[in-house]
């Protein structure tokens, strides 16, 4: 009887003990953890790699872009507003990166930032973005689909306009970002492209006054798993991150009073609000070769809000 499963080879061979031992030997890890399956990791995991960060003008996007620069990447950032985009580009190119690059290690930060105006809610903008990235670099190694908005309304307050805008940016924009950048990821030298989608802790626990926002983030989470399955055979990994209470511009816009902010902090088992860098570290890990065996997963970066009882 023929096995019709597409991932099952028609024939199989049994490895000898010697062959198995040799295979395990090639997978050995040094005590310092820098070698695994023939890969060598150091502080510059992204040297020569190109990564796109949508919504890279502030908050988690900007923090991720900076961290990628520190690790040697070429970084493409996007934003809807020309002035904010220019300020973000200036902050990145003028920043004194915390991890000094050795002489001759590659271009300076100002030569590795490419800012492109694009509205993630408009697929035509995303198509032009992919075209410009292709013209400049020819490929991508990673994408952080971060662009999103937070509209917090009760069900009675939601209008068709706010509903459509939230879905357009938070879900449709993420989907078409992946669609238009996929060919560039498939062109990456050596393969192994990676995508990280920005979801939210609200997909794991109910949150009042966020019915549409939370629904779009749940859709993004499911998209990571579905597309992770779709593209695994092409060597492209897709994961999501679910940030908790992270201090960004959006956080201050939504939670304006110090007393409210303190009440929110008190809900976090680790005893502090998150920083954009907390999320950036996770995103950079998932985009890096260090996460080469991880796909279709969601990592919650929330100080324990979802999964841990508050000890305070």
């Amino acid at each position: 009887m023929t096995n019709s499963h597409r991932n099952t080879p028609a024939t199989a061979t049994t490895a000898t003990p010697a062959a198995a031992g040799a295979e395990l030997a090639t997978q050995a890890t040094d005590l310092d953890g820098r070698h695994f399956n023939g890969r060598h990791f150091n502080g510059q995991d992204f040297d020569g790699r190109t990564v796109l960060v949508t919504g890279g003008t502030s908050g988690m996007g900007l923090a991720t872009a900076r961290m990628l620069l520190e690790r040697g990447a070429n970084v493409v950032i996007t934003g809807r507003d020309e002035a904010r985009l220019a300020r973000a580009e200036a902050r990145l190119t003028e920043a004194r990166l915390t991890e000094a690059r050795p002489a001759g290690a590659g271009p300076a930060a100002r030569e590795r930032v490419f800012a492109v105006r694009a509205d993630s809610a408009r697929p035509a903008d995303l198509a032009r973005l992919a075209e410009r990235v292709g013209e400049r670099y020819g490929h991508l190694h990673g994408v952080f689909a971060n662009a999103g908005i937070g509209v917090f309304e009760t069900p009675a307050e939601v209008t068709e306009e706010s509903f459509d805008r939230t879905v357009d940016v938070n879900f449709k924009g993420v989907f078409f970002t992946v669609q238009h950048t996929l060919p560039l990821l498939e062109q990456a030298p050596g393969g192994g492209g990676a995508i990280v989608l920005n979801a939210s802790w609200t997909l794991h626990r109910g949150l009042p006054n966020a019915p549409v926002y939370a629904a779009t983030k749940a859709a993004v989470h499911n998209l990571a798993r579905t597309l992770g399955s779709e593209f695994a055979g092409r060597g492209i990994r897709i994961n999501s991150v679910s940030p908790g209470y992270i201090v960004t511009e959006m956080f201050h816009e939504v939670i304006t009073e110090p007393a409210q902010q303190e009440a929110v902090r008190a809900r976090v088992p680790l005893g502090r609000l998150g920083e954009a860098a907390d999320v950036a570290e996770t995103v950079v890990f998932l985009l890096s070769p260090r996460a080469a065996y991880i796909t279709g997963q969601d990592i919650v970066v929330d100080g324990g809000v979802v999964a841990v009882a508050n000890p305070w």
Side-chain angles (χ1 to χ4, degrees), residues 119 121-129 180:
D119 183 346
R122 298 177 178 272
D125 279 16
L126 296 170
R128 285 191 292 271
L129 166 66
H180 287 297

Side-chain angles (χ1 to χ4, degrees), residues 235-254:
I236 295 174
R237 301 178 297 102
I238 304 183
N239 296 286
S240 62
V241 291
S242 286
Y245 294 113
I246 309 297
V247 179
T248 61
E249 290 181 13
M250 184 186 296
F251 177 86
H252 286 293
E253 290 170 1
V254 175

